[in-house]
Amino acid sequence: MFKIDNREIGYGSKPFIIAEMSGNHNGSIARALELVDAAADAGADAVKLQTYTADTLTLNINSDEFVISDKNSLWFGKSLYELYSEASTPWEWHSEIMDHATKRGLICFSSPFDNSSVDFLESLGVSAYKIASAEIIDHGLITHVAETGKPIIISTGMATLNEISEAVAVAHAAGNQNIALLQCTASYPASPKNSNILTIPNMQEIFNCEVGLSDHTMGVGAAV
């Protein structure tokens, strides 16, 4: 058990509900603030951002693997650089969003995708960090986050047990024991059948830490 701000995270404590903003602001700061309000009105405990720029995630290349080639995709023909540019939350918005979340009684933190993002979030005084599923093998990032001493929530996505074990070991080696893992099915939306929530007690036993759910289903059944 550990705390994020004044909230206890652990078995026997009230569930800690995090609303994911991601790129759902659609490039509008007004919509981002409305999403914070919606999360607060729904009774969430926290709202989470993603902190990156297109330049920290990909290369500005308009060919080959850097362009969406699936003709059935909503983003067919767009480059990854274009998509990340559209979906990113501008760094100059972060402070305003976090201040608004605090006013609404929410904890606000973020998923950084490189060390510069961690340093920026540290300057804002975030109380926790989330490691996205795709970054679970980025041991340098996990080390940098762990060294802040802040609690870390790690989403497991498509990771193998060995990759999860390595990520936990890296955080421990950096002196951070305040770790929670999230069982995560990396499909959008995920079916309740494929949520595999029985993995949660299994992960608790294997890794001896708190384990939650990164829920991509359409309803509330899997989370309940």
Side-chain angles (χ1 to χ4, degrees):
M1 183 176 291
F2 58 87
K3 286 187 176 182
I4 295 179
D5 278 357
N6 61 347
R7 278 297 311 275
E8 284 190 349
I9 310 298
Y11 188 79
S13 299
K14 177 186 174 184
F16 186 63
I17 309 298
I18 306 166
E20 170 68 66
M21 182 178 294
S22 187
N24 295 307
H25 49 67
N26 291 347
S28 164
I29 182 64
R31 182 176 172 86
L33 299 177
E34 288 173 2
L35 289 170
V36 172
D37 288 331
D41 292 343
D45 300 293
V47 63
K48 191 190 73 63
L49 314 178
Q50 294 181 340
T51 305
Y52 64 84
T53 67
D55 289 304
T56 62
L57 280 187
T58 189
L59 300 174
N60 192 2
I61 296 175
N62 292 301
S63 61
D64 301 326
E65 290 87 354
F66 293 89
V67 174
I68 304 298
S69 58
D70 181 0
K71 293 184 178 180
N72 295 318
S73 171
L74 291 171
W75 304 287
F76 172 67
K78 284 201 169 185
S79 72
L80 297 180
Y81 192 90
E82 288 179 283
L83 292 174
Y84 288 133
S85 296
E86 292 175 9
S88 64
T89 301
W91 288 20
E92 59 268 24
W93 292 5
H94 279 56
S95 181
E96 184 175 356
I97 293 171
M98 290 179 176
D99 287 345
H100 189 62
T102 299
K103 290 176 184 176
R104 291 303 314 269
L106 296 173
I107 296 168
C108 188
F109 61 103
S110 189
S111 296
F113 285 78
D114 74 310
N115 288 0
S116 68
S117 301
V118 178
D119 297 340
F120 170 67
L121 291 168
E122 277 295 286
S123 75
L124 298 177
V126 296
S127 55
Y129 287 94
K130 162 92 184 307
I131 300 295
S133 296
E135 308 307 311
I136 195 169
I137 57 174
D138 188 343
H139 294 175
L141 176 63
I142 294 172
T143 296
H144 200 57
V145 168
E147 287 174 343
T148 69
K150 308 286 179 62
I152 311 170
I153 300 171
I154 303 175
S155 193
T156 56
M158 296 175 284
T160 64
L161 277 176
N162 188 55
E163 287 168 343
I164 299 169
S165 180
E166 289 179 349
V168 171
V170 166
H172 286 172
N176 199 319
Q177 303 291 321
N178 295 331
I179 300 170
L181 299 172
L182 297 183
Q183 157 58 13
C184 175
T185 301
S187 59
Y188 305 87
S191 69
K193 180 180 178 180
N194 290 330
S195 290
N196 299 322
I197 58 174
L198 281 177
T199 306
I200 292 174
N202 179 247
M203 290 169 67
Q204 286 174 323
E205 182 178 351
I206 293 173
F207 299 109
N208 191 32
C209 66
E210 306 301 340
V211 181
L213 175 67
S214 178
D215 188 11
H216 301 149
T217 60
M218 295 297 287
V220 298
V224 170

